[in-house]
Amino acid sequence: MKKMNKLTGFVFLLLSGSSFSEPTFVCQPPEGLRVDYFDADNTINKPKNEFLTDTDKISGMHPTIIFHDKTKEATFILGNTSASIAKTMKANMAIIYNTKEQISFAGVINEAPILASYYPMMHILAYSQQSDWAPNANGMRSAIYYSKCNEQ
């Protein structure tokens, strides 16, 4: 009976954590830092065997987050939600951490793994993504972005 009580308590704790219904947040164009690396000849004429760092700002893009309480997922949309490209730039991602201060989710968009966190008390989104440069070059890109958001 003790095991049943612990299990029931665990399920209750899991279900009674920071909850949300279906809030949607639209964020400002993200800014951040990008790192590229190429270890072979490439068709985009970038130096090879060097870490190339640069600041990055994605003008016109408004990341959108929709939290789904029933599935414990977040729909993450990169791009302008009204643009046709938004269909290829979104994914339902698993919520992997959820408190009243931070909601983190992970998934893949266009073959790039993404780890994102939304900080509800500050209305801030931070996310990172990693990708390769195939088929244009033999290299990798890693970026971290941040953005202020508003609930819709």
Side-chain angles (χ1 to χ4, degrees):
M1 193 64 155
K2 275 188 170 182
K3 285 187 179 183
M4 183 64 149
N5 288 340
K6 285 183 181 179
L7 179 60
T8 303
F10 174 74
V11 171
F12 176 76
L13 180 63
L14 185 66
L15 295 175
S16 67
S18 176
S19 66
F20 37 77
S21 48
E22 295 279 327
T24 299
F25 298 89
V26 177
C27 305
Q28 298 299 314
E31 298 180 42
L33 176 67
R34 183 183 68 239
V35 178
D36 294 303
Y37 184 90
F38 302 94
D39 69 351
D41 292 329
N42 58 77
T43 60
I44 55 177
N45 299 320
K46 295 286 185 178
K48 58 184 178 178
N49 300 320
E50 291 180 41
F51 288 102
L52 308 170
T53 61
D54 202 357
T55 58
D56 203 353
K57 182 173 183 175
I58 307 173
S59 300
M61 184 174 89
H62 294 276
T64 302
I65 312 160
I66 305 166
F67 291 111
H68 307 287
D69 192 34
K70 287 183 180 179
T71 59
K72 303 297 182 208
E73 291 182 322
T75 299
F76 192 41
I77 303 168
L78 294 177
N80 184 334
T81 55
S82 64
S84 61
I85 194 167
K87 290 181 182 175
T88 62
M89 298 291 290
K90 73 178 184 178
N92 287 335
M93 299 187 173
I95 294 175
I96 58 174
Y97 183 75
N98 181 10
T99 67
K100 65 181 182 178
E101 292 87 14
Q102 178 180 350
I103 304 167
S104 297
F105 45 98
V108 176
I109 294 180
N110 287 353
E111 299 182 13
I114 293 176
L115 173 62
S117 289
Y118 179 70
Y119 300 88
M121 295 184 166
M122 297 179 285
H123 303 287
I124 294 175
L125 167 69
Y127 71 95
S128 66
Q129 70 183 68
Q130 295 75 40
S131 58
D132 62 32
W133 274 91
N136 297 331
N138 189 16
M140 72 91 201
R141 168 172 282 176
S142 182
I144 184 166
Y145 297 102
Y146 52 89
S147 182
K148 288 289 282 180
C149 306
N150 295 309
E151 187 167 3
Q152 298 296 301

